[in-house]
Amino acid sequence: MDSRTGFGGAEERAMRRALELAATPGVPLGPNPRVGCVLLDADGRTVAEGHHRGAGTPHAEADALARAGGAARGSTAVVTLEPCNHTGRTGPCAQALLEAGVRRVVFAQADPNPVAAGGAATLSAAGVEVVGGLLADEARAVNRVWSFAVEHGRPFVTWKFATTLDGRSAAADGTSRWVSSRAARLDTHRLRALCDTMLVGSNTVAVDDPLLTVRDAEDRPLPHQPLRAVMGLRDLDPGRRVFDDSAETVHLRTRDPRAALAELFARDRQHVFLEGGPTLAAAFWRAGLVDEVVAYVAPFLLGAGRSAVADLGIATIADAFRPRVVDVTVLADDPEANVRFTLAPHDRTTQGED
């Protein structure tokens, strides 16, 4: 046991394994966080492992306890998120750990959800040794979007767009296929699959007739599709492809980005992939509701045509928005050498500062 941290080496190794379990591929996106759990015996050996597999399935702790059976008594539960303290579709994990006779609980991230929080206090009050904060940053990274949505009361918004070197998303005649390369389009589908909502404006549906589904490299739809959300007041032709049976679709009858996000959050949506046109993008940006930018830049020039984003109300260079560059990637196996920029918007008060 490290006296400085309160954690043992076996516990840190178990937590890293629990983080791997939490990030198990194939778990459907949903309102619940991704959680992993490892049970250790008194000698630091693994007794059982478990992870959450989506809404309505056993939580990670319950999964591990079921696999351990009676061997869970006297064990240490290493969990990536503070054990929950409420009854939802499943019972409270804190109570399950108590009933199993777990001696010690080590968790990474404190639960930011006020409905579920309090498990650590319940366990401590019952005499279980509880220590939190082990690899907390790594655990938060696994549930980056979920944590943001719970703390802010709205979905995390990723704005994606494709542009030419001179900032055009379409030519002067309105043609836009294809500004991005095939490699960029495949990468976009990869990112779409990480979100639970695709959002466009009603004008995009009327003019471009997008399908807004997630597809693989052979253009086959994936088994789990995000919600397709269309934002705007205008009535739309029900024959548009976005209204087919490929995925669920909702029409958000508003032009207010905050109202749209509030309605999506009420539907348990946590990650919006914003792929609308320049007007919708500008509305979200000016409202301060863009949390991540993914821009694909193609190496050619148009000189005229539609801009990637509409007026942002900026009159002078000193007021320019200056997002922080998180990543720059030249897409592999791309003969057109599209470049993907991932950016994080700064707080508005920092704009223009050197």
Side-chain angles (χ1 to χ4, degrees), residues 59 82-88 91-95 98 111 113-123:
H59 288 190
E82 177 188 0
C84 70
N85 199 42
H86 82 301
T87 300
C93 292
Q95 188 61 39
L98 287 175
D111 196 329
N113 186 351
V115 175
T122 294
L123 289 163

Side-chain angles (χ1 to χ4, degrees), residues 198-213:
M198 302 284 303
L199 177 61
V200 298
S202 55
N203 188 65
T204 293
V205 171
V207 175
D208 296 339
D209 193 21
L211 186 57
L212 293 184
T213 56

Side-chain angles (χ1 to χ4, degrees), residues 149-150 152-155 260-270:
V150 169
H152 290 79
R154 68 166 178 84
L261 293 182
E263 184 171 341
L264 291 171
F265 188 69
R267 292 172 175 264
D268 281 335
R269 301 293 160 164
Q270 298 169 349

Side-chain angles (χ1 to χ4, degrees), residues 125-140:
V128 176
E129 185 180 358
V130 181
V131 187
L134 176 60
L135 303 182
D137 290 343
E138 290 88 337
R140 184 178 176 85

Side-chain angles (χ1 to χ4, degrees), residues 231 252-265 289:
M231 179 178 161
L252 306 174
R253 297 277 185 168
T254 181
R255 291 176 179 163
D256 180 355
R258 294 188 185 279
L261 293 182
E263 184 171 341
L264 291 171
F265 188 69
L289 295 173

